[in-house]
Amino acid sequence: MRDPTNGNHNALNAAPGDAQGTLRPTPFLIALPFNVLEAIGRAGFYTTWHLLYFVACAFRAFTGFLFVAGIVMLLVSLGVFVNPNAAPMPWWFFLSSAFGMFVFAVGYNLFLDWFAPTGAEDPFDRYRPKTSRRT
């Protein structure tokens, strides 16, 4: 038994070998609602992250079409540059559209690789040709 009169100023604290202070359920009961809210928040965050990645991967196929459209717009801009009366818009509009499509396609793929959750794989990778699959 401890003697509070022997000069110990920490008399109200539990002794180092006393297990009574560690078995009190009050801190766990107070923290339980916050721990539950944290778990729900983390689950919601990771669920949303994976769902957004899944939807974004579904649109990755359209970036391949943007490359083809950029090549076509580049050829159209060269044709309009040769004959400016062939189109109702200036030639630089077609040229900037072509570069914009290229930049958007490359930027989207780079962003999607950066945005991927840890350990997640592209669910639509099996639909791509074998030459463009990510390994």
Side-chain angles (χ1 to χ4, degrees), residues 38-58:
E38 179 186 5
I40 290 171
R42 283 181 187 263
F45 172 75
Y46 285 112
T47 301
T48 305
W49 190 8
H50 280 270
L51 181 64
L52 287 174
Y53 180 69
F54 179 81
V55 171
C57 283

Side-chain angles (χ1 to χ4, degrees), residues 13 23 36 39 46-47 60 79 82 88 104 108 110 114 120 123-124:
N13 295 337
L23 294 178
V36 169
Y46 285 112
T47 301
R60 187 181 277 199
V82 171
F104 181 78
Y108 187 79
L110 290 176
W114 172 80
F124 298 97

Side-chain angles (χ1 to χ4, degrees), residues 5-132:
T5 60
N6 64 358
N8 187 1
H9 299 291
N10 296 324
L12 298 177
N13 295 337
D18 197 4
Q20 182 182 4
T22 59
L23 294 178
R24 285 185 263 175
T26 307
F28 299 112
L29 291 177
I30 292 173
L32 183 64
F34 298 106
N35 289 337
V36 169
L37 283 176
E38 179 186 5
I40 290 171
R42 283 181 187 263
F45 172 75
Y46 285 112
T47 301
T48 305
W49 190 8
H50 280 270
L51 181 64
L52 287 174
Y53 180 69
F54 179 81
V55 171
C57 283
F59 288 109
R60 187 181 277 199
F62 293 109
T63 59
F65 292 119
L66 279 178
F67 272 98
V68 175
I71 292 170
V72 170
M73 290 298 283
L74 187 61
L75 296 175
V76 168
S77 71
L78 293 175
V80 173
F81 180 69
V82 171
N83 186 7
N85 296 329
M89 291 176 251
W91 64 273
W92 53 264
F93 174 79
F94 294 99
L95 186 64
S96 63
S97 297
F99 286 131
M101 288 179 191
F102 286 132
V103 168
F104 181 78
V106 170
Y108 187 79
N109 282 323
L110 290 176
F111 170 76
L112 205 53
D113 290 339
W114 172 80
F115 183 71
T118 307
E121 295 180 7
D122 187 357
F124 298 97
D125 193 29
R126 59 184 157 191
Y127 300 116
R128 279 192 254 157
K130 292 185 186 257
T131 57
S132 65

